[in-house]
Amino acid sequence: MGRVGGSGRVTGFGRVAGFGRVGGSGRVAGFGRVAGFGRVAGLCRVAGSRRAGRATGRAHPAPDQDGLAADPLDALAQRLDGFVAAAVHPDEIAAILESDGMTDEHIRLTYGRADSFSLAEDLYARVERRHPEPAAPPAGAWYGELAGCLLRGLVFALPGLAYVLAAPLLAAGHGRFGLPAGTVPLLAGAVTGWVWNQALAHRAYTWLGLGDRPAAARALLTGAPAGALAGAAVALAAAGPGEIPAAVFAAGQSLYLAAATVLLVLGRERALLCALLPLAGAVPAFRWDLPDALRAALLLASLAASVAFAALVLRPGARRGAAGRGGPPRAASLPYGLFGLGSGLLVLHAGVSDTLVSGAGAVIALTLSMGPAEWLLHRFRDGSLTRLRTLTTAREFRRAVTGTLVLCLGGYLTVLLALTLAATLAWPGAPWPTFPRLLTLLLIGTVLWLGLLLQAFGAVTSAATVCLLAAAAQTVEPAAGPVAAGGAAAVLAALTCALLVRPTAHRG
């Protein structure tokens, strides 16, 4: 969004990264890059009068046919007619004026207005609103997007079957912190992978947004193995006595997360789905005991297929010089990793804060819901762009976008509730979730969806901070889960309403 300085000047609109690509525990597909209001060549240049003004300190408009000096504001309005007619708010015009280098001194000398905001308001009032009709979406686009998002939700959830297959192979008994043995190294490896792969996915998507797919493959080629090693090392370091099998499984989990990040970032969801098909062997394990050798074989087959597919799609990144330019700063990807940490911890709290069965059902529901969540994020984006082109006032736009936001969030929470109840019915012996548990789950879902929405519009630091604080509060005091999740949801809702009702936030 526009950065407002001390004097109220809009200094430009920053580039917004691709729409919330989230690796690991809930990756959201990109809307594409929303470019800022950069310089428009020749759009705001007042050719003759502006050069004269710079040379003498004052503009000298050429007289018209009647011998009267022409109003320079008329000439500027004519040059900017298309942009001004489509603007929803004067701040949009002020941004383009300043991006073209118009200073307050030049505006005072040439147009007799105090600053860019006063000049923008005059232009906004002088030019009649004319908004182009939004382009009709391609036939079947919504259904195509929905199918793709549901596929992604499925590949997010299928890895959970690996835990069903591996459960008899891991250490039994009680572990540390009141958790089953092996839980600590598993969680340590998973959280490390989430943080690393979130940041890595953001960097790769930045390259894709620049149109350099080989450079994105190169970033994944170097970053994915490093993330797998980091997750395995942390899991082994966190393992206690008798937890080595769990640490080995966590190392395989880290390797899978790295391979899945590669495939998801490069758009190979179907390949990942094929790699996960061996895990379907876990379905009979819900009722019958499978041989340990078969369990291990299914796990290794799925892991090997994931790594092989990832290696195949990374071949362009192995070419010499594929990385090209120096690339975006690595520090820019850090907030995305922190958001992955906060959201991942919230999902873990939803799973371990209740009994094992109902907690697993909550995690399954949250994971599966990421597919519909992605589709609803697309719908919000498309709806806001349509209203940006069809509405004539900022007030109408605010009301319309607020209504779209409420509908999309309400739709996501409805899907999450339905998935939770379906998981409860499908899981043998699962207890019916209590109202406080359902409320906490819905609040966590609200935090995740709003956080992903803010991340998509560039406010990832705020979303990450709120999620981390909520996760830290639940870690320190598990009983404070509903309060922490509710507070985080309220803060994110306020931030979303403050940021996304502005027309300038949606200009692309």
Side-chain angles (χ1 to χ4, degrees), residues 260-506:
T261 299
V262 171
L263 294 172
L264 290 171
V265 168
L266 297 180
R268 302 302 177 88
E269 293 88 353
R270 288 179 174 81
L272 182 57
L273 178 62
C274 292
L276 293 174
L277 288 180
L279 297 182
V283 175
F286 283 103
R287 295 188 178 276
W288 299 286
D289 188 20
L290 300 180
D292 290 348
L294 178 58
R295 293 174 181 268
L298 292 173
L299 291 171
L300 291 175
S302 181
L303 178 60
S306 301
V307 174
F309 285 137
L312 288 175
V313 301
L314 284 180
R315 285 182 299 176
R319 299 171 185 169
R320 177 178 296 181
R325 304 176 293 267
R330 291 177 173 81
S333 300
L334 179 60
Y336 293 85
L338 295 178
F339 177 76
L341 173 61
S343 58
L345 289 176
L346 287 175
V347 173
L348 287 179
H349 281 299
V352 302
S353 62
D354 205 345
T355 63
L356 178 61
V357 174
S358 60
V363 173
I364 291 173
L366 282 170
T367 307
L368 284 173
S369 72
M370 288 297 103
E374 176 185 344
W375 186 74
L376 287 167
L377 290 171
H378 277 282
R379 298 281 61 76
F380 174 80
R381 175 66 177 162
D382 291 346
S384 61
L385 287 177
T386 299
R387 285 161 178 78
L388 187 66
R389 296 170 181 174
T390 56
L391 300 180
T392 58
T393 67
R395 182 178 181 181
E396 290 178 340
F397 181 79
R398 285 195 299 269
R399 294 177 59 184
V401 169
T402 302
T404 304
L405 178 64
V406 171
L407 287 176
C408 289
L409 178 57
Y412 169 69
L413 295 180
T414 302
V415 171
L416 178 59
L417 179 61
L419 288 172
T420 303
L421 298 179
T424 302
L425 293 173
W427 196 290
W432 196 256
T434 61
F435 177 77
R437 297 297 183 190
L438 282 177
L439 178 61
T440 303
L441 181 64
L442 293 178
L443 289 174
I444 291 176
T446 302
V447 172
L448 294 178
W449 196 83
L450 292 177
L452 291 171
L453 183 61
L454 289 172
Q455 174 186 265
F457 282 86
V460 61
T461 302
S462 301
T465 301
V466 174
C467 289
L468 284 173
L469 290 176
Q474 288 197 7
T475 302
V476 174
E477 182 53 60
V483 177
V491 172
L492 289 178
L495 287 173
T496 303
C497 291
L499 296 176
L500 299 187
V501 298
R502 300 176 182 176
T504 52
H506 303 267

Side-chain angles (χ1 to χ4, degrees), residues 3-5 7-13 89-95 97-98 102 104 107 113-124:
R3 179 171 57 85
V4 181
S7 63
R9 179 182 305 280
V10 177
T11 60
F13 297 89
H89 194 276
D91 285 354
E92 298 183 51
I93 307 171
L97 294 175
E98 293 195 1
M102 285 194 182
D104 288 348
I107 291 172
R113 305 301 189 274
D115 51 32
S116 60
F117 290 99
S118 300
L119 180 59
E121 290 173 357
D122 285 349
L123 289 171
Y124 185 82

Side-chain angles (χ1 to χ4, degrees), residues 140-155:
W142 280 34
Y143 299 101
E145 289 178 2
L146 179 59
C149 293
L150 292 178
L151 174 62
R152 299 173 77 85
L154 183 60
V155 298

Side-chain angles (χ1 to χ4, degrees), residues 203 206-213 215 218 321-328 330:
R203 183 166 179 80
T206 303
W207 278 118
L208 291 176
L210 295 173
D212 198 339
R213 188 178 179 87
R218 181 75 175 183
R325 304 176 293 267
R330 291 177 173 81

Side-chain angles (χ1 to χ4, degrees), residues 163-172 289-290 292 295:
Y163 295 95
V164 178
L165 286 172
L169 307 178
L170 305 179
D289 188 20
L290 300 180
D292 290 348
R295 293 174 181 268

